[in-house]
Amino acid sequence: MPDAKEHVSQIDPVWSQIISEARKAIADEPLLGGLIHSSILHHKSLEKALAYRVSLKLASGEMSEQILREIADGGYATDPWLGDAARADLVAVLDRDPACHRLLQPLLYFKGYQAVQAFRLGHWLWQQGRHDLAYFLQMRISEVFGIDIHPGARLGRGIMIDHAHSIVIGETAVVGDNVSMLHSVTLGGTGKEDDDRHPKIGDGVLIGAGAKVLGNIHIGHCTRIAAGSVVLEDVPPMKTVAGVPARIVGEAGCDQPAVSMNHLLRRSSDG
Ligand SMILES: CC(C)(COP(=O)(O)OP(=O)(O)OC[C@H]1O[C@@H](n2cnc3c(N)ncnc32)[C@H](O)[C@@H]1OP(=O)(O)O)[C@@H](O)C(=O)NCCC(=O)NCCS
């Protein structure tokens, strides 16, 4: 019988909710029983489920699922921050993506979420100096999910990448907490700088679809970058910028645009 302290440490509301959603999903659609059992119900924790899911997705003839799973299990076991960030990302997607109604959806079906978790494992390897393995993961994430994030890039918690086709994030990019980005976003270099050459994105920033943020520039917290913009200069906090090159077109209008997704994004049911 675990003592009270141990019992408290075992409570994981995110994982408990996923388990109950999984049971309901099987009851509603028995044909998904195999997928949901092997991906969720078979596991004791979110970390174990993620290690299974990510390694299954990234496995190829070049590296087996078993080896990838050992790597992922090792990452989650030695760095609890990875599991915390995975939970924050999951809740971020549920909170911000109007098409997401259950925590189970990103874990099973959303490639933006899965790619970010795979990236986080690659970044963990990078921090350990295991650069070749980290590059290998970067290659597989790019091949499988269409998202190319250098393992040296730094991403905060509560990241949502919606739709997630064609995301590119460079080596020296830094992304704060609670940032949301839509598809086809580039956080890249201008080609004119060496070493520290990629953008630094503040907390709570919303980056619209197709936006290109280039160079070692600072985007202030809670700013909105309009779809299709090319941002080449620092942006102060809580502004809205748009155009090519991007100019300030107004205030962000709320404290946390990335969290509220305050960009008049239509709900998926609207088409
Ligand atoms: C910028 C955005 C957040 C709207 O912010 P807003 O404060 O409501 O801005 P407004 O619509 O009032 O526009 C302000 C000005 O910026 C311009 N503008 C808005 N979005 C723009 C864009 N993407 N590119 C260029 N100019 C843009 C407007 O034309 C307007 O210009 P004007 O003052 O000369 O008339 C929104 O247009 C946007 O781009 N959201 C991202 C959406 C996205 O990525 N969707 C993908 C869904 S899959």
Side-chain angles (χ1 to χ4, degrees):
M1 174 103 177
D3 65 21
K5 200 172 164 194
E6 190 182 344
H7 181 71
V8 168
S9 73
Q10 288 170 353
I11 293 172
D12 179 350
V14 169
W15 182 239
S16 301
Q17 186 172 328
I18 291 169
I19 295 286
S20 96
E21 290 173 357
R23 292 201 177 110
K24 180 166 185 327
I26 294 177
D28 291 348
E29 182 53 270
L31 288 178
L32 282 172
L35 172 75
I36 292 175
H37 265 285
S38 61
S39 303
I40 295 175
L41 295 176
H42 183 68
H43 304 284
K44 289 200 169 88
S45 67
L46 178 62
E47 285 83 350
K48 289 283 180 193
L50 279 170
Y52 170 84
R53 193 100 193 105
V54 165
S55 52
L56 182 74
K57 286 282 181 188
L58 299 188
S60 71
E62 291 178 321
M63 193 170 297
S64 71
E65 187 188 332
Q66 191 185 1
I67 294 177
L68 287 161
R69 206 158 152 189
E70 272 179 38
I71 295 166
D73 280 336
Y76 288 120
T78 53
D79 188 353
W81 190 87
L82 290 172
D84 292 348
R87 284 172 181 77
D89 297 340
L90 207 47
V91 172
V93 179
L94 182 65
D95 280 352
R96 299 175 212 161
D97 181 352
C100 184
H101 306 288
R102 292 164 298 160
L103 290 171
L104 162 146
Q105 285 174 263
L107 185 57
L108 287 183
Y109 313 125
F110 290 7
K111 69 179 182 175
Y113 177 76
Q114 294 170 11
V116 169
Q117 305 323 308
F119 155 78
R120 293 195 187 286
L121 290 165
H123 182 67
W124 170 75
L125 290 167
W126 185 263
Q127 286 174 308
Q128 315 259 311
R130 299 166 77 183
H131 288 184
D132 279 319
L133 207 42
Y135 281 131
F136 181 83
L137 283 201
Q138 179 190 5
M139 177 188 75
R140 287 299 295 149
I141 293 163
S142 171
E143 289 171 350
V144 171
F145 299 115
I147 294 180
D148 196 0
I149 312 181
H150 192 288
R154 286 185 279 151
L155 268 58
R157 297 154 39 108
I159 303 297
M160 182 190 75
I161 303 184
D162 198 11
H163 304 298
H165 310 290
S166 192
I167 298 285
V168 176
I169 301 180
E171 177 179 7
T172 58
V174 178
V175 176
D177 294 332
N178 295 320
V179 168
S180 298
M181 61 183 88
L182 283 298
H183 54 282
S184 298
V185 163
T186 299
L187 307 182
T190 57
K192 295 185 277 191
E193 294 165 296
D194 295 324
D195 302 325
D196 192 359
R197 61 202 181 280
H198 297 115
K200 313 295 179 269
I201 309 294
D203 295 341
V205 170
L206 169 68
I207 309 178
K212 313 295 167 199
V213 187
L214 304 179
N216 186 4
I217 57 175
H218 288 74
I219 308 301
H221 65 86
C222 299
T223 271
R224 291 186 302 178
I225 299 174
S229 305
V230 177
V231 187
L232 299 167
E233 292 173 359
D234 289 355
V235 179
M238 299 179 69
K239 301 293 178 194
T240 298
V241 295
V244 182
R247 302 279 181 238
I248 294 173
V249 295
E251 302 300 314
C254 71
D255 287 347
Q256 295 256 28
V259 173
S260 63
M261 291 300 282
N262 175 22
H263 64 142
L264 308 181
L265 182 67
R266 292 182 301 164
R267 297 188 69 85
S268 59
S269 55
D270 297 336

